[in-house]
């Protein structure tokens, strides 16, 4: 009790308007017993965490050494924050995962390519195996041509390749070209998995291509626009694009190779953020 109460983090929370819950107070003790269990049953001697976990790790160190008499160790590392300075983590809802099902190669690539100049050199040293001399050269070139974002792109490429392999890096680059450069070639090369990763919130639909099928027919079958004049007006006002190209004539007949890609997919966008992945059957 005395040890926990004496910690500055605990005292600050107790003095705050929100106070401190019982769960928060006993959490260091629970984590300490977790370390003890891992040590006794699995031979664990090292606990690793962010520097905000120093108090919890110290609790584990003190408990294990007192109970077993063996030497154990704690290691803390600097926290990695978002571009706004917020802590990354599950609780904050902005964690970056190594698991592709949680953070796709494209999302991992984009996280690192968006890093600011004041942290990118440190991240190159932390997260890559590039020689220090090469990192220094990259930063020198960046000082001359900052508009090219050279260090960020190199950082993103190195980390993505390290986590997901060369194919993961190529996937991230395809997705980047498709989303930000409206590259039809990149869209045609994308797999179903990449499309789902890139447009996680997109609605998917499977349609049959009928003779003379128009853009208006497509939008209505995909439930992308409302029925009646307002849906028609949405297209004429330029609010609809197919495969990155805006379509303003609702009566335009769909053309293979233009509106329907070689991989049998159309990417329909209505407005700025509403995407629909159309898979064509029996082309």
């Amino acid at each position: 009790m005395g040890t926990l109460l004496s910690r500055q983090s605990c005292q600050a929370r107790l003095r705050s308007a929100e106070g401190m819950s019982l769960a928060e107070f006993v959490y260091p003790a629970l984590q300490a017993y977790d370390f003890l269990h891992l040590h006794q049953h699995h031979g664990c001697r090292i606990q690793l965490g962010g520097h905000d976990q120093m108090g919890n790790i110290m609790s584990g160190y003190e408990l294990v050494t007192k109970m077993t008499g063996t030497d154990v160790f704690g290691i803390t590392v600097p926290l990695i924050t978002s571009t706004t300075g917020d802590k990354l983590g599950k609780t904050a809802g902005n964690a970056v995962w190594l698991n592709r099902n949680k953070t796709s190669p494209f999302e991992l690539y984009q996280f690192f390519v968006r890093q600011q100049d004041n942290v990118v050199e440190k991240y190159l040293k932390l997260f890559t195996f590039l020689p220090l001399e090469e990192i220094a050269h990259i930063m020198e070139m960046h000082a001359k041509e900052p508009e090219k974002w050279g260090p960020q792109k190199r950082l993103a490429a190195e980390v993505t390749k390290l986590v997901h392999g060369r194919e993961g890096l190529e996937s991230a680059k395809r997705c980047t070209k498709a989303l930000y450069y409206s590259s039809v070639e990149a869209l045609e090369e994308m797999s179903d998995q990449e499309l789902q990763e890139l447009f996680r919130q997109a609605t998917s639909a499977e349609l049959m291509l009928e003779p003379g099928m128009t853009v208006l027919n497509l939008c209505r079958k995909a439930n992308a626009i409302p029925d009646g004049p307002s849906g028609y007006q949405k297209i004429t006002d330029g609010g609809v694009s197919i495969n990155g190209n805006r379509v303003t004539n609702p009566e335009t007949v769909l053309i293979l190779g233009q509106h329907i890609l070689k991989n049998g997919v159309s990417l329909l966008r209505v407005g700025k953020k509403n995407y629909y992945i159309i898979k064509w059957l029996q082309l």
Side-chain angles (χ1 to χ4, degrees):
M1 286 283 291
T3 301
L4 295 176
L5 287 168
S6 66
R7 290 191 176 142
Q8 291 183 354
S9 58
C10 181
Q11 292 178 17
R13 289 303 304 272
L14 289 172
R15 288 194 298 267
S16 69
E18 296 81 12
M20 190 176 196
S21 69
L22 177 64
E24 289 177 289
F25 181 69
V26 301
Y27 186 88
L30 295 175
Q31 185 167 321
Y33 272 100
D34 184 55
F35 193 9
L36 176 63
H37 177 85
L38 290 172
H39 174 68
Q40 290 179 327
H41 295 275
H42 301 283
C44 177
R45 297 182 63 195
I46 299 176
Q47 189 172 185
L48 175 68
H51 68 237
D52 62 331
Q53 293 290 308
M54 173 65 81
N56 296 339
I57 292 175
M58 281 296 299
S59 295
Y61 166 81
E62 291 166 358
L63 179 65
V64 175
T65 53
K66 185 180 294 184
M67 295 286 289
T68 68
T70 56
D71 289 329
V72 292
F73 306 90
I75 300 174
T76 62
V77 295
L79 288 175
I80 306 304
T81 58
S82 68
T83 53
T84 59
D86 297 325
K87 175 184 172 180
L88 295 177
K90 299 188 296 294
T91 305
N94 59 357
V96 178
W97 301 83
L98 302 182
N99 187 320
R100 180 170 186 156
N101 294 329
K102 293 179 177 290
T103 299
S104 70
F106 166 74
E107 291 167 329
L108 184 69
Y109 182 90
Q110 288 299 320
F111 170 78
F112 282 102
V113 90
R114 290 194 300 264
Q115 295 303 316
Q116 300 299 314
D117 286 351
N118 61 340
V119 298
V120 68
E121 182 176 5
K122 179 176 74 171
Y123 286 4
L124 280 167
K125 294 175 180 178
L126 281 174
F127 298 125
T128 78
F129 292 99
L130 295 176
L132 294 179
E133 296 80 7
E134 186 172 352
I135 293 175
H137 176 70
I138 291 171
M139 298 309 299
E140 288 174 8
M141 296 301 296
H142 181 56
K144 298 176 182 177
E145 299 176 308
E147 71 281 358
K148 292 187 176 181
W149 288 66
Q152 286 86 349
K153 291 179 180 177
R154 186 63 184 276
L155 171 67
E158 291 293 327
V159 175
T160 305
K161 184 169 61 175
L162 182 65
V163 176
H164 296 291
R166 184 164 296 279
E167 175 51 37
L169 175 58
E170 293 304 317
S171 173
K173 289 181 176 179
R174 280 194 295 272
C175 293
T176 299
K177 290 178 181 178
L179 186 61
Y180 295 120
Y181 299 96
S182 299
S183 171
V184 173
E185 292 79 9
L187 274 174
E188 288 181 329
E189 294 174 359
M190 289 174 66
S191 65
D192 288 350
Q193 181 184 22
E194 289 172 341
L195 284 168
Q196 293 295 336
E197 289 175 347
L198 183 57
F199 305 102
R200 289 187 187 275
Q201 306 303 319
T203 300
S204 295
E206 294 183 344
L207 299 177
M208 296 284 292
L209 181 62
E210 301 169 358
M213 192 170 185
T214 65
V215 172
L216 180 63
N217 298 145
L218 165 61
C219 292
R220 285 181 174 167
K221 285 181 179 294
N223 294 317
I225 60 172
D227 292 331
S230 61
Y232 194 95
Q233 188 71 33
K234 186 79 172 179
I235 301 174
T236 58
D237 287 345
V240 171
S241 67
I242 300 177
N243 300 330
N245 297 312
R246 184 172 295 170
V247 183
T248 56
N249 182 2
E251 305 302 332
T252 298
V253 176
L254 300 181
I255 301 173
L256 286 169
Q258 180 180 342
H259 304 107
I260 302 171
L261 303 176
K262 295 176 182 177
N263 56 357
V265 169
S266 295
L267 181 64
L268 174 66
R269 189 183 75 184
V270 179
K272 292 183 177 180
K273 297 182 179 179
N274 298 314
Y275 285 93
Y276 300 81
I277 300 172
I278 311 300
K279 297 180 182 180
W280 295 98
L281 304 176
Q282 298 179 2
L283 287 176

